């Protein structure tokens, strides 16, 4: 894979930042936040390059695997199940590219289900994180609905078209599972879903 010049510059800059952080005895919250933001930007750009590279390779074994490859969907009994291989970002970490990465990946893997839901939909979001005792209301669920609108799976996320529920739990492996279904089937679904 050939890395373009712009990404090379970003990687060199990131390398310098990493060295500075490693050599520093103390960092402010602002310095750490700035570094993490730059790190996410470079990572996002690399993933975009890898996606483009993977589109153009001749053989499957030549493709470069990334976390994005682990996003999965399954449609069973009119319930769309989406597996996101990472936890949703918290409100305090919205400056990272996690929001955008999740939005774009969920939109990409669900576009095959465009038009699946036209009436009011219910979205059940199970967020799993490796931290004990965390608060589910601190997780930012907006990228889920935005992605489903972008892919055309749902029409809108206003109060007449969508409602949702979020549940948090501990897991050694952070991930998120999303279920999308017709709102009329919510009660029946909640009786069957694993809590």
């Amino acid at each position: 894979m050939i890395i373009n010049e712009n990404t090379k510059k970003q990687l060199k800059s990131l390398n310098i930042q990493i060295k500075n952080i490693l050599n520093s005895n103390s960092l402010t919250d602002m310095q750490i936040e700035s570094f993490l933001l730059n790190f996410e930007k470079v990572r996002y750009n690399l993933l975009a390059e890898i996606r483009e590279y993977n589109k153009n390779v001749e053989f499957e074994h030549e493709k470069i695997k990334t976390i994005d490859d682990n996003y999965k969907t399954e449609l069973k009994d009119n319930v769309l199940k989406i597996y996101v291989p990472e936890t949703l970002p918290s409100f305090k970490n919205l400056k990272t590219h996690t929001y955008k990465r999740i939005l774009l990946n969920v939109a990409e893997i669900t576009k095959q289900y465009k038009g699946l839901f036209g009436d009011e939909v219910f979205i059940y979001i199970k967020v799993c994180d490796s931290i004990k005792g965390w608060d589910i209301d601190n997780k930012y669920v907006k990228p889920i609905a935005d992605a489903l609108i972008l892919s055309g799976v749902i029409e809108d996320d206003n109060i007449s078209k969508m409602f949702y529920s979020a549940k948090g739990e501990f897991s050694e492996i952070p991930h998120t599972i999303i279920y999308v279904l017709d709102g009329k089937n919510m009660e029946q679904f909640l009786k069957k879903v694993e809590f």
Side-chain angles (χ1 to χ4, degrees):
M1 177 180 159
I2 299 170
I3 298 173
N4 68 38
E5 287 303 314
N6 185 40
T7 304
K8 280 183 188 176
K9 285 178 188 174
Q10 289 182 59
L11 286 170
K12 287 176 183 175
S13 173
L14 186 64
N15 188 37
I16 292 167
Q17 290 176 37
I18 290 170
K19 286 178 182 176
N20 290 340
I21 284 178
L22 290 173
N23 292 328
S24 177
N25 290 331
S26 65
L27 294 168
T28 65
D29 287 346
M30 187 178 279
Q31 288 171 316
I32 293 169
E33 201 171 295
S34 176
F35 167 75
L36 291 174
L37 180 61
N38 288 333
F39 180 83
E40 280 291 319
K41 282 181 184 176
V42 172
R43 189 169 91 93
Y44 183 79
N45 289 339
L46 280 173
L47 287 172
E49 279 196 48
I50 289 169
R51 261 194 303 276
E52 195 58 38
Y53 170 82
N54 284 345
K55 284 181 193 174
N56 298 315
V57 295
E58 188 175 349
F59 302 106
E60 189 67 27
H61 70 274
E62 294 176 317
K63 289 185 177 181
I64 298 170
K65 303 294 181 197
T66 70
I67 190 172
D68 296 8
D69 299 325
N70 294 324
Y71 281 74
K72 306 287 181 208
T73 60
E74 176 187 355
L75 181 62
K76 185 178 179 184
D77 299 326
N78 295 318
V79 176
L80 178 60
K81 180 180 178 182
I82 305 162
Y83 177 81
V84 175
E86 54 192 318
T87 192
L88 291 175
S90 64
F91 280 99
K92 67 180 180 181
N93 292 325
L94 289 181
K95 292 181 182 176
T96 69
H97 282 275
T98 306
Y99 166 89
K100 191 172 183 181
R101 183 176 61 248
I102 290 173
L103 186 153
L104 294 176
N105 280 305
V106 170
E108 180 66 25
I109 63 166
T110 59
K111 65 184 179 184
Q112 62 183 311
Y113 302 106
K114 182 177 182 176
L116 184 61
F117 300 102
D119 295 326
E120 185 180 52
V121 297
F122 173 62
I123 301 174
Y124 179 76
I125 305 165
K126 185 161 74 169
V127 184
C128 303
D129 209 337
S130 59
I131 302 164
K132 292 188 178 177
W134 58 277
D135 298 341
I136 186 63
D137 64 328
N138 290 338
K139 293 294 185 179
Y140 192 59
V141 299
K142 187 165 173 47
I144 304 306
D146 289 351
L148 294 171
I149 292 167
L150 185 62
S151 65
V153 171
I154 66 174
E155 291 179 2
D156 203 342
D157 58 356
N158 67 40
I159 59 172
S160 65
K161 288 291 185 181
M162 186 205 86
F163 60 107
Y164 73 93
S165 174
K167 180 184 187 304
E169 64 182 53
F170 173 81
S171 173
E172 293 288 343
I173 302 168
H175 65 282
T176 305
I177 301 174
I178 303 142
Y179 299 89
V180 186
L181 56 139
D182 189 301
K184 293 188 273 306
N185 301 328
M186 178 200 71
E187 193 174 323
Q188 181 184 357
F189 169 80
L190 289 176
K191 287 178 183 175
K192 293 192 298 187
V193 74
E194 287 182 39
F195 285 101

